[in-house]
């Protein structure tokens, strides 16, 4: 990885792209520390210090925003509205024929879907911004903090609207910065910003484990967490790179006096075909009842049951539901993102076939069989990786935002591998150009 970056900095145009990406990252990180108007910054800091070990159900969103959510800054919502909008549009593509037709139109249809994603992102930002301001005003954002009621001194409608508009504009700026990285920088901009947001929370989380440790002034716990993190990174890299390659042979076709085709290739089916999406789906679904219970008043039976069973990450019911939801969403997302019948039809159209399998329906059935078999270990792997923070809760007394949690490691490793691959592919293109000249 370091070799690829060193070679990239020696290439003038790649060096410009890398420096541009770094510049955008600096702008993004600066924005995560600028508070929105109408917030008492001292009260926020006091509550953040007091509640650093218990962020409640907002922990996942706070992690994706690089800690900006609890700081209530202009980039408080971070990239989460865009992620949610992208997932919703991807799911609707399967349901709505119009969106499915746009997806098949190529670049023009993709541009239209991207435009819809932007509109939906702004709408979700308004909704989430309103919810965040309402939570801060009620004092529920930091439960148990004495200064929580004074976070929003001015509770007029005008001040509330200004705060919501500021956070919505911040989300739009984050989305624009991500698209700038995609167009003029290196890698996928939204993934890079998510990578930076999660990585930014690591130092503080690691140091809090060191300070709360008891063995050798906390260094034993600190070193153990580092070792566990390195082992997890190695495991995730191994599984993320693992794939089942299904061989495909293309028959020769004579057009005039020339023969075309006759080549062999393969269809790569990854063990973790769904990526980190099932973990995000499961976390978001379990976050909803906890959020409803947080806003509801009174001491009803259902609220008490949710607070006892679905808020604490170390409860057996929470662990079981979380694991089962991840497995379910892994199969669900793979089913909507990979269509064996469409792949089989395209292979048949261009004269391709899998050796030993007849073209058409038998090929689709074979692909579906292999995909189901390979999704099982992938979904179980996702579920086990996602439960690492729970093990940390029991072993180290850590909070639910354990720095080497499954979601964060999956995103960090996935984005890192993809970015390095893009850098290496661009370096190879330039080497080939020089060789041809």
């Amino acid at each position: 990885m370091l070799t690829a970056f060193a070679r990239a900095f020696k290439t003038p145009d790649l060096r410009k792209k890398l420096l541009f990406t770094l510049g955008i990252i600096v702008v993004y990180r600066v924005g995560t520390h600028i508070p929105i108007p109408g917030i008492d910054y001292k009260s926020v800091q006091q509550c953040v210090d007091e509640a650093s070990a218990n962020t409640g159900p907002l922990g996942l969103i706070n992690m994706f925003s690089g800690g900006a959510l609890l700081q209530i800054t202009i980039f408080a919502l971070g990239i989460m509205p865009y992620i949610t909008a992208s997932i919703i549009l991807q799911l609707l593509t399967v349901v709505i024929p119009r969106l499915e037709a746009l997806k098949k139109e190529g670049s023009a249809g993709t541009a239209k879907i991207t435009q819809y994603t932007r509109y939906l992102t702004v709408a979700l930002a308004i909704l989430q911004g309103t919810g965040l301001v309402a939570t801060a005003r009620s004092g529920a954002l930091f439960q148990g903090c004495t200064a929580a009621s004074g976070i929003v001194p001015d509770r007029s409608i005008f001040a509330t609207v200004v705060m919501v508009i500021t956070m919505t504009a911040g989300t739009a700026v984050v989305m624009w910065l991500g698209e700038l990285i995609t167009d003029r920088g290196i890698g996928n901009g939204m993934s890079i910003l998510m990578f930076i947001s999660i990585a930014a929370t690591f130092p503080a989380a690691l140091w809090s484990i060191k300070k709360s440790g008891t063995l050798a002034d906390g260094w034993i716990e600190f070193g153990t967490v580092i070792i566990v993190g390195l082992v997890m990174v190695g495991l995730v890299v191994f599984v993320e790179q693992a794939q089942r390659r299904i061989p495909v042979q293309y028959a020769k076709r004579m057009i005039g006096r020339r023969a075309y085709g006759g080549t062999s290739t393969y269809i790569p089916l990854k063990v973790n075909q769904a990526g980190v999406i099932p973990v995000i789906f499961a976390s978001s679904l379990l976050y909803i009842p906890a959020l409803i219970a947080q806003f509801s008043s009174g001491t009803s039976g259902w609220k008490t049951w949710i607070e006892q069973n679905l808020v604490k990450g170390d409860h057996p019911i929470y662990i079981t539901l979380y694991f089962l939801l991840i497995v379910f969403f892994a199969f669900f997302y793979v089913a909507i993102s990979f269509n064996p019948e469409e792949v089989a039809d395209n292979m048949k159209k261009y004269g391709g076939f899998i050796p030993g399998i007849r073209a058409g329906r038998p090929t689709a059935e074979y692909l579906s069989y292999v995909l189901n078999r390979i999704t099982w270990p992938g979904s179980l792997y996702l579920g086990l990786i996602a439960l690492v923070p729970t093990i940390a809760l029991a072993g180290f007394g850590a909070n639910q935002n354990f720095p080497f949690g499954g979601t964060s490691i999956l995103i960090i490793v996935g984005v890192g591998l993809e970015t390095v691959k893009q850098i290496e592919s661009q370096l190879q293109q330039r080497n080939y150009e020089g060789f041809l000249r």
Side-chain angles (χ1 to χ4, degrees):
M1 182 181 293
L2 294 177
T3 305
F5 277 102
R7 289 170 56 198
F9 266 101
K10 294 179 181 179
T11 308
D13 52 345
L14 278 182
R15 182 169 61 245
K16 290 180 181 178
K17 290 184 176 182
L18 287 173
L19 292 176
F20 179 81
T21 303
L22 291 175
I24 295 295
I25 290 172
V26 170
V27 172
Y28 174 66
R29 288 305 300 163
V30 169
T32 58
H33 291 86
I34 301 176
I36 65 174
I39 294 294
D40 187 348
Y41 187 69
K42 292 183 179 179
S43 298
V44 171
Q45 290 303 310
Q46 179 181 341
C47 289
V48 168
D49 294 337
E50 291 182 10
S52 59
N54 182 23
T55 56
L58 295 173
L60 180 69
I61 304 177
N62 186 58
M63 181 186 69
F64 281 135
S65 66
L69 178 73
L70 295 181
Q71 301 279 352
I72 318 181
T73 65
I74 59 174
F75 290 167
L77 302 179
I79 203 69
M80 200 62 181
Y82 183 85
I83 296 174
T84 308
S86 300
I87 293 174
I88 291 174
L89 260 297
Q90 196 165 11
L91 294 176
L92 290 179
T93 301
V94 184
V95 179
I96 302 176
R98 170 61 179 165
L99 292 177
E100 187 176 2
L102 285 174
K103 185 179 179 181
K104 295 179 179 179
E105 287 181 4
S107 58
T110 303
K112 199 70 175 177
I113 293 177
T114 303
Q115 194 69 19
Y116 293 155
T117 306
R118 292 170 183 162
Y119 295 148
L120 185 57
T121 299
V122 173
L124 290 175
I126 295 173
L127 183 64
Q128 293 180 12
T130 304
L132 178 59
V133 172
T135 308
R137 287 179 56 178
S138 65
L141 185 62
F142 298 99
Q143 295 182 354
C145 177
T146 56
S149 58
I151 290 178
V152 185
D154 187 0
R155 304 196 175 190
S156 63
I157 297 178
F158 177 77
T160 302
V161 171
V162 169
M163 287 189 283
V164 173
I165 290 176
T166 302
M167 284 191 287
T168 303
T171 300
V173 171
V174 170
M175 183 169 54
W176 176 62
L177 292 176
E179 292 179 354
L180 282 178
I181 293 177
T182 303
D183 295 337
R184 300 173 57 183
I186 291 291
N188 183 284
M190 303 303 175
S191 300
I192 294 291
L193 294 182
M194 194 190 308
F195 177 98
I196 296 301
S197 297
I198 295 173
T201 62
F202 276 19
L206 286 170
W207 192 246
S208 66
I209 290 177
K210 190 268 176 190
K211 289 195 299 182
S212 62
T214 56
L215 300 176
D217 200 19
W219 288 109
I220 299 295
E221 289 89 345
F222 182 84
T224 305
V225 169
I226 294 293
I227 294 173
V228 170
L230 293 176
V231 171
M232 282 191 61
V233 169
L235 173 64
V236 171
V237 169
F238 177 77
V239 178
E240 291 296 318
Q241 296 289 82
Q243 56 183 224
R244 167 73 184 275
R245 296 181 175 182
I246 299 179
V248 178
Q249 184 74 33
Y250 286 91
K252 288 185 178 181
R253 293 182 299 171
M254 296 297 297
I255 301 179
R257 295 184 177 181
R258 294 187 177 183
Y260 295 89
T263 59
S264 59
T265 182
Y266 60 86
I267 301 174
L269 296 180
K270 296 179 64 177
V271 172
N272 183 21
Q273 189 81 3
V276 75
I277 298 298
V279 180
I280 297 176
F281 274 15
S283 302
S284 302
L285 200 61
L286 285 177
Y287 159 74
I288 293 174
L291 187 64
I292 293 173
Q294 189 178 39
F295 280 109
S296 64
S297 58
T299 56
S300 57
W302 65 269
K303 179 182 178 181
T304 304
W305 189 88
I306 289 176
E307 290 177 344
Q308 291 178 349
N309 301 312
L310 296 182
V311 174
K312 296 181 180 180
D314 57 348
H315 196 279
I317 295 180
Y318 182 95
I319 294 173
T320 304
L321 282 176
Y322 192 33
F323 184 82
L324 293 177
L325 283 173
I326 290 175
V327 173
F328 168 76
F329 281 122
F331 279 92
F332 176 76
Y333 188 76
V334 168
I336 67 172
S337 60
F338 187 91
N339 189 347
E341 293 183 359
E342 184 178 350
V343 174
D345 290 341
N346 289 334
M347 288 171 54
K348 185 177 181 180
K349 180 179 179 182
Y350 294 102
F353 62 93
I354 299 174
I357 307 294
R358 293 179 59 186
R361 186 175 180 81
T363 298
E365 292 176 351
Y366 176 75
L367 290 175
S368 180
Y369 169 77
V370 173
L371 195 62
N372 287 333
R373 291 285 297 273
I374 206 172
T375 302
W376 269 114
S379 61
L380 296 177
Y381 146 81
L382 280 177
L384 292 175
I385 288 291
L387 291 178
V388 167
T390 303
I391 300 174
L393 275 165
F396 302 106
N399 58 30
Q400 294 189 39
N401 302 317
F402 183 64
F404 295 110
T407 308
S408 57
I409 289 294
L410 285 169
I411 295 175
I412 289 286
V413 172
V415 175
L417 290 174
E418 188 63 30
T419 304
V420 170
K421 285 181 181 179
Q422 289 197 21
I423 293 175
E424 289 181 344
S425 66
Q426 295 195 29
L427 285 172
Q428 289 178 358
Q429 290 177 3
R430 280 150 184 80
N431 291 338
Y432 289 148
E433 287 176 0
F435 177 75
L436 292 174
R437 289 174 184 170

